[in-house]
Amino acid sequence: LAAVWAFLNNVVEIRGDAFKLVNGVQRPFMKRVEDIGFWQDAFEVLSVISIIVNCSLIGIRGQVGRWFPNFSVGHQILFVIMMEHVFLTIKYIISRAIPDVPDWVQLAHAKEKYKREQALKGLEKFIRTSKLKGQIKKKVDAVRCKLEDMNSEPAADTKGAGSRHAADTQGAGSGRYKVE
């Protein structure tokens, strides 16, 4: 009798879980964002802290004394601090040398912008020859305003000298999403 009740319980539980997964707990809608926001700063801080901790562990464990047996304690501490600064400098150089927006993404954005401008020029030609000038002109002006707003956003910094959060200024094509 216990086996029958256990079987019925499992059937009901599986069906109930299936219903919850299909109807209740669905993946939220995504919203396109420019960057990873706060997490970029968190990862930057985490990488700096990891360099400091690893260098101090090398100093605490006495590795420097084994590498350089004729160093005094003061020299060992100075060597650990110098090694830490060298690694922080290398990290900084690497983070600035790698562009936030890859060249192929910048090229795709430039092509898309060019195509929009060409389409707008073709539409303007059509308006000049069309009988519905007033109605079409209003729509074209609205599209032009949208394009100007998109083009007036700050440009992405390719060498990382400015903000690390300037990636994907057009908002299209990056494939990055944020849960709303």
Side-chain angles (χ1 to χ4, degrees):
L1 186 63
V4 172
W5 287 115
F7 176 74
L8 289 175
N9 177 51
N10 287 341
V11 169
V12 170
E13 191 170 341
I14 288 173
R15 288 290 134 206
D17 289 344
F19 179 80
K20 283 190 295 186
L21 286 173
V22 170
N23 296 318
V25 189
Q26 293 181 353
R27 186 179 262 187
F29 290 105
M30 300 298 170
K31 177 178 124 180
R32 191 173 291 276
V33 295
E34 289 186 17
D35 56 20
I36 61 175
F38 170 76
W39 288 104
Q40 178 71 28
D41 297 331
F43 288 134
E44 293 286 333
V45 169
L46 187 65
S47 66
V48 169
I49 290 173
S50 67
I51 289 173
I52 293 170
V53 167
N54 286 325
C55 288
S56 61
L57 284 174
I58 288 172
I60 290 172
R61 292 204 50 211
Q63 292 285 68
V64 179
R66 283 185 229 141
W67 295 339
F68 305 104
N70 56 351
F71 274 13
S72 67
V73 175
H75 285 112
Q76 289 180 12
I77 292 172
L78 287 175
F79 180 78
V80 168
I81 292 172
M82 182 187 70
M83 184 173 57
E84 169 199 355
H85 280 68
V86 166
F87 286 135
L88 287 172
T89 303
I90 291 170
K91 180 220 165 292
Y92 177 79
I93 290 170
I94 289 173
S95 70
R96 297 302 177 218
I98 299 172
D100 289 335
V101 181
D103 292 337
W104 64 272
V105 173
Q106 287 180 342
L107 182 64
H109 284 294
K111 285 180 181 179
E112 188 67 31
K113 183 179 175 184
Y114 177 75
K115 287 178 184 177
R116 285 186 199 135
E117 290 171 356
Q118 292 302 315
L120 201 56
K121 286 179 185 177
L123 196 57
E124 286 173 348
K125 259 187 196 177
F126 174 73
I127 290 173
R128 280 185 244 136
T129 60
S130 175
K131 294 179 181 179
L132 304 172
K133 285 183 184 178
Q135 295 173 358
I136 296 175
K137 185 164 179 22
K138 288 178 186 177
K139 290 183 181 181
V140 168
D141 288 340
V143 170
R144 183 178 288 123
C145 287
K146 269 188 183 179
L147 288 175
E148 287 174 359
D149 288 343
M150 287 174 56
N151 292 336
S152 67
E153 292 179 5
D157 187 3
T158 59
K159 294 299 178 191
S163 171
R164 298 291 292 173
H165 305 294
D168 192 24
T169 58
Q170 295 294 330
S174 72
R176 286 175 266 171
Y177 294 93
K178 180 178 181 180
V179 176
E180 209 173 38

